[in-house]
Amino acid sequence: MSRWEQGRTVIDDLIQRREVERVPASTEHAEAELAQARQHLASAKLVLDVDPVGAYSLAYDAARKALAAVLVNQGLRATSRGGHVAVYETVKAQLDPPLGSILRPFSRMRVRRNESEYRSAEAPPVTPEEVRGDLPKAQAIIELAEKAMPHMGRY
């Protein structure tokens, strides 16, 4: 498989800033992350009416783990310095264009999840309707990761 070139400059910069690091590439670990992502999404659907905040967190984590799976499959991982933003930025650099419209909701979901986690008194409560609206977006991110991984070479 050839080297994946799109986004290389952005990723090299993230590595230089220690927001992303190289790790041993692992398809097995990537598949495990995707399995967890699918399970989180299924769990979110089960609890969204009784625990919308928890369901939203599960939906967001499903999307995040799918994006992290893309990275680990390539031999990359976000550091604690880069966090969830670096996961998103790394995948986005490689897949936008043409897949930015599928990836873009992740950034908004991250902000919303952080509001509910860290500023719950200030933020409006997460509703079951909001969760229902974002579940398909998390599902689309998982499907994107599943389809893209076999085509993206090691970094």
Side-chain angles (χ1 to χ4, degrees):
M1 183 172 290
S2 63
R3 246 169 78 129
W4 188 264
E5 290 300 327
Q6 183 173 327
R8 188 163 287 278
T9 303
V10 171
I11 297 166
D12 287 345
D13 185 52
L14 289 166
I15 291 170
Q16 175 113 14
R17 293 191 329 241
R18 296 188 178 143
E19 294 178 24
V20 172
E21 63 187 357
R22 287 184 172 89
V23 296
S26 173
T27 301
E28 182 178 307
H29 184 200
E31 291 295 334
E33 289 280 333
L34 283 173
Q36 285 183 7
R38 288 187 292 271
Q39 185 59 58
H40 284 349
L41 204 59
S43 297
K45 290 174 186 176
L46 292 174
V47 301
L48 69 91
D49 285 315
V50 295
D51 183 7
V53 172
Y56 200 88
S57 187
L58 283 165
Y60 167 76
D61 279 344
R64 178 184 57 78
K65 287 185 178 191
L67 296 180
V70 171
L71 300 188
V72 75
N73 191 61
Q74 293 183 289
L76 297 169
R77 176 178 62 201
T79 64
S80 59
R81 174 184 277 182
H84 298 185
V85 172
V87 171
Y88 171 70
E89 291 297 327
T90 304
V91 175
K92 180 178 162 243
Q94 296 180 84
L95 297 177
D96 183 15
L99 302 171
S101 63
I102 296 170
L103 293 169
R104 226 164 277 120
F106 178 82
S107 190
R108 179 188 49 74
M109 289 176 70
R110 182 186 62 77
V111 170
R112 183 64 172 125
R113 185 281 216 155
N114 287 351
E115 284 177 351
S116 70
E117 283 283 313
Y118 305 116
R119 298 185 330 192
S120 59
E122 302 164 24
V126 174
T127 65
E129 294 74 26
E130 186 175 8
V131 179
R132 279 187 193 90
D134 278 341
L135 284 173
K137 293 169 178 71
Q139 178 68 44
I141 290 170
I142 293 169
E143 290 170 3
L144 176 147
E146 291 169 336
K147 290 175 187 166
M149 279 185 356
H151 305 288
M152 299 171 73
R154 305 288 191 247
Y155 190 79

